[in-house]
Amino acid sequence: MASLGDKTNFTIVGETGSLLYSVTLLSEGDWVIGVRTVRTINSNSERLLSLINWSDVDGISTENPFFIRYYEVPVAPENLRLQ
């Protein structure tokens, strides 16, 4: 996961063997999601990593590029008084 326009500063949020994965965003902003495959090739757990496929790049794996715009839910106001 990376900020829109800054893919050099990305955060790995997890690995899964499943096709579904939930991501929790920690701050407001525009985000892109990157996915890559990881293949373990021997008993020493040597791994091969593919290139990252970013959600905002039009390509073979992303037919409809997208990004996530996240806004935090506002906290309910408390202790308001009519002046």
Side-chain angles (χ1 to χ4, degrees), residues 57-73:
V57 176
D58 188 10
I60 295 170
S61 300
T62 310
E63 293 179 9
N64 299 309
F66 67 94
F67 67 92
I68 300 165
R69 179 164 286 155
Y70 174 65
Y71 297 103
E72 291 185 29
V73 177

Side-chain angles (χ1 to χ4, degrees), residues 32-50:
V32 292
I33 300 294
V35 176
R36 72 176 168 197
T37 58
V38 178
R39 179 177 175 209
T40 304
I41 59 172
N42 60 27
S43 60
N44 295 330
S45 298
E46 186 177 348
R47 300 169 4 141
L48 295 175
L49 305 175
S50 71

